[in-house]
């Protein structure tokens, strides 16, 4: 808080006092009052006035300077009402009361929307579990009555099942601490489950799989990693030519899983947006219908698990996805 704006705000009142004093001094001069008396009147008039202004300025300056410093220092600006102290002057107390009331109402609104979000999430989870049952039953019936028609329906059911899985994991991604279980597991075993799940697609498209032996263990949530791998491998299957390779590279503090295909690749102008929500890009529009949610959810979950996910691609030559696992057992989860 600066002195100049403070004085400028009170300029009218000060000017009126000066004007009145000049009138009084003129009157005293006309009735031959001594100059020393006029000086005493001046001191008695303006002394208390300027002193009160000085004390008032110091109180406001201390409060507003501290308020601004705290505001600048906070990463989350909305926490300001939580840390300010109640001032001892009227305007500051009014501002303090307003900020406290606003803060209280904000917390009530946040709680309301959190409750709504939790309720919606619970509903989605319940719905997903309910809809999985008829899907599984239908797949079982079609398995027992195989023919060209049921084969096609089975493929469509598997797509539906995949989208239902996406919805479930997306709903769960908003509350990491409730759903993540970080533990040690074999990366090879996890990859094998995903490959087995997509075995029909590999066979149907006659894709050559190159899988190197992996003896590494990683620390993360196995189910979530399985989902991420499934989304990436399905993308590779959809867009590859005839070969997909999986291998690992050990780094000083991490382990990187490489998933490489020899497919159509990603256009340079799209590569920076492949993890954006709903982004389908040229490939998604040209070759098949895409929701643009698969890679977005993968990145969302990977961030929650503190994993790195990157994509490198050359159009017409192929795409490489890298998943980077930390070697440490200490993995912090977002609350």
């Amino acid at each position: 808080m600066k002195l100049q704006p403070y004085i400028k705000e009170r300029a009218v009142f000060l000017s009126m006092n000066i004007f009145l004093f000049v009138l009084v001094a003129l009157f005293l001069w006309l009735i031959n009052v001594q100059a020393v008396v006029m000086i005493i009147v001046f001191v008695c008039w303006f002394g208390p006035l300027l002193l009160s202004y000085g004390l008032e300025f110091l109180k406001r300056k201390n409060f507003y300077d501290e308020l601004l410093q705290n505001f600048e220092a906070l990463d989350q600006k909305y926490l300001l009402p939580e840390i300010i102290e109640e001032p001892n002057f009227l305007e500051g107390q009014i501002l303090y009361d307003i900020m406290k009331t606003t803060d209280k109402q904000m917390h009530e609104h946040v709680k309301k929307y959190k409750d709504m979000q939790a309720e919606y999430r619970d509903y989605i989870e319940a719905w997903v579990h309910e809809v999985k049952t008829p899907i599984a039953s239908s797949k079982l019936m079609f398995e027992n009555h195989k023919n060209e028609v049921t084969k096609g329906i089975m493929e469509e059911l598997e797509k539906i099942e995949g989208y239902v899985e996406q919805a479930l994991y997306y709903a769960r991604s908003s509350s990491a601490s409730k759903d993540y279980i970080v533990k040690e597991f074999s990366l090879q075993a996890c990859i094998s489950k995903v490959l087995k799940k997509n075995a029909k697609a590999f066979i149907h498209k006659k894709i050559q799989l190159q899988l190197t032996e992996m003896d590494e263990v990683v620390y993360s949530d196995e189910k979530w990693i399985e989902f991420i791998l499934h989304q990436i491998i399905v993308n590779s299957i959809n867009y590859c030519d005839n070969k997909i390779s999986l291998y690992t590279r050990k780094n000083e503090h991490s382990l990187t899983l490489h998933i490489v295909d020899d497919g159509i690749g990603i256009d340079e102008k799209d590569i920076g947006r492949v993890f954006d929500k709903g982004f389908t890009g040229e490939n998604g529009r040209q070759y098949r219908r895409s929701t643009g949610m698969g890679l977005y959810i993968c990145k969302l979950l990977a961030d929650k698990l503190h994993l790195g996910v990157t994509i490198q691609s050359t159009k017409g030559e192929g795409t490489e996805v890298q998943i980077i696992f930390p070697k440490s057992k200490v993995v912090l989860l977002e609350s």
Side-chain angles (χ1 to χ4, degrees), residues 216-219 249-257 305-308 323-331:
E216 299 92 351
V217 294
V218 292
Y219 303 94
R249 288 279 185 272
K250 292 180 182 177
N251 310 304
E252 186 177 357
H253 300 294
S254 62
L255 175 75
T256 303
L257 172 64
L305 290 169
H306 297 275
L307 305 180
I323 303 176
I324 304 161
F325 297 88
K327 282 186 177 177
S328 170
K329 293 181 180 180
V330 180
V331 180

Side-chain angles (χ1 to χ4, degrees), residues 235 239 264-288 290 292 295-296 310-316 318-320:
N235 272 358
Y239 297 112
I264 57 176
I266 302 170
D267 194 279
E268 189 177 351
K269 70 177 187 299
D270 291 342
I271 193 73
R273 300 181 58 196
V274 292
F275 292 120
D276 289 355
K277 186 178 182 180
F279 181 74
T280 56
E282 186 180 324
N283 292 344
R285 293 188 297 272
Q286 187 174 352
Y287 292 90
R288 60 188 71 242
S290 170
L295 287 178
Y296 167 73
T310 62
I311 287 187
Q312 298 168 2
S313 184
T314 303
K315 193 171 184 180
T319 301
E320 176 177 342

Side-chain angles (χ1 to χ4, degrees), residues 91-119:
E91 291 174 9
Q93 287 173 347
I94 293 172
L95 176 63
Y96 176 84
D97 290 340
I98 291 172
M99 292 178 72
K100 284 291 182 184
T101 304
T102 306
D103 183 55
K104 183 182 176 185
Q105 289 197 355
M106 184 198 72
H107 282 294
E108 289 173 353
H109 276 282
V110 169
K111 183 179 182 305
K112 175 186 172 185
Y113 286 107
K114 278 186 174 178
D115 290 344
M116 288 170 63
Q117 186 184 36
E119 186 178 337

Side-chain angles (χ1 to χ4, degrees), residues 52-261:
S52 66
Y53 275 2
L55 292 174
E56 185 187 40
F57 172 75
L58 288 176
K59 279 194 293 187
R60 281 161 175 70
K61 179 176 172 53
N62 290 337
F63 174 71
Y64 288 116
D65 283 355
E66 186 178 351
L67 191 69
L68 288 171
Q69 286 173 6
N70 288 330
F71 180 76
E72 295 296 333
L74 282 171
D75 288 334
Q76 312 294 330
K77 306 297 186 191
Y78 59 84
L79 293 176
L80 184 62
E82 305 279 350
I83 61 172
I84 61 170
E85 295 183 4
E86 185 174 2
N88 57 357
F89 60 94
L90 181 60
E91 291 174 9
Q93 287 173 347
I94 293 172
L95 176 63
Y96 176 84
D97 290 340
I98 291 172
M99 292 178 72
K100 284 291 182 184
T101 304
T102 306
D103 183 55
K104 183 182 176 185
Q105 289 197 355
M106 184 198 72
H107 282 294
E108 289 173 353
H109 276 282
V110 169
K111 183 179 182 305
K112 175 186 172 185
Y113 286 107
K114 278 186 174 178
D115 290 344
M116 288 170 63
Q117 186 184 36
E119 186 178 337
Y120 180 71
R121 174 180 173 274
D122 292 342
Y123 167 73
I124 291 293
E125 287 195 24
W127 179 85
V128 167
H129 288 300
E130 288 292 327
V131 83
K132 273 185 169 183
T133 303
I135 291 174
S137 301
S138 302
K139 288 173 71 176
L140 185 60
M141 285 189 284
F142 292 136
E143 280 288 344
N144 294 329
H145 300 83
K146 285 184 178 178
N147 56 48
E148 284 303 314
V149 176
T150 57
K151 183 181 174 184
I153 296 174
M154 179 73 91
E155 290 176 357
E156 295 304 315
L157 275 177
E158 286 175 349
K159 289 179 187 175
I160 293 171
E161 194 174 30
Y163 291 133
V164 168
E165 284 282 310
Q166 274 190 6
L168 177 62
Y169 280 88
Y170 184 48
R172 285 179 171 175
S173 67
S174 61
S175 56
S177 58
K178 290 183 180 177
D179 298 303
Y180 294 0
I181 302 174
V182 176
K183 62 180 182 181
E184 177 184 301
F185 65 91
S186 164
L187 184 59
Q188 174 89 50
C190 184
I191 291 172
S192 297
K193 289 179 188 174
V194 177
L195 294 176
K196 187 177 178 181
K197 194 174 181 180
N198 293 283
K200 288 181 182 177
F202 273 95
I203 296 169
H204 177 69
K205 293 193 69 174
K206 298 178 180 177
I207 297 170
Q208 179 187 355
L209 175 65
Q210 292 184 341
L211 177 64
T212 58
E213 193 68 28
M214 301 175 195
D215 59 353
E216 299 92 351
V217 294
V218 292
Y219 303 94
S220 193
D221 183 289
E222 187 173 1
K223 282 287 182 187
W224 292 77
I225 296 299
E226 197 175 313
F227 173 81
I228 293 171
L229 285 174
H230 175 70
Q231 297 295 314
I232 293 170
I233 288 176
V234 166
N235 272 358
S236 295
I237 291 171
N238 287 337
Y239 297 112
C240 82
D241 188 4
N242 61 11
K243 187 172 70 177
I244 295 175
S245 304
L246 288 93
Y247 61 92
T248 55
R249 288 279 185 272
K250 292 180 182 177
N251 310 304
E252 186 177 357
H253 300 294
S254 62
L255 175 75
T256 303
L257 172 64
H258 300 255
I259 304 165
V260 186
D261 68 62

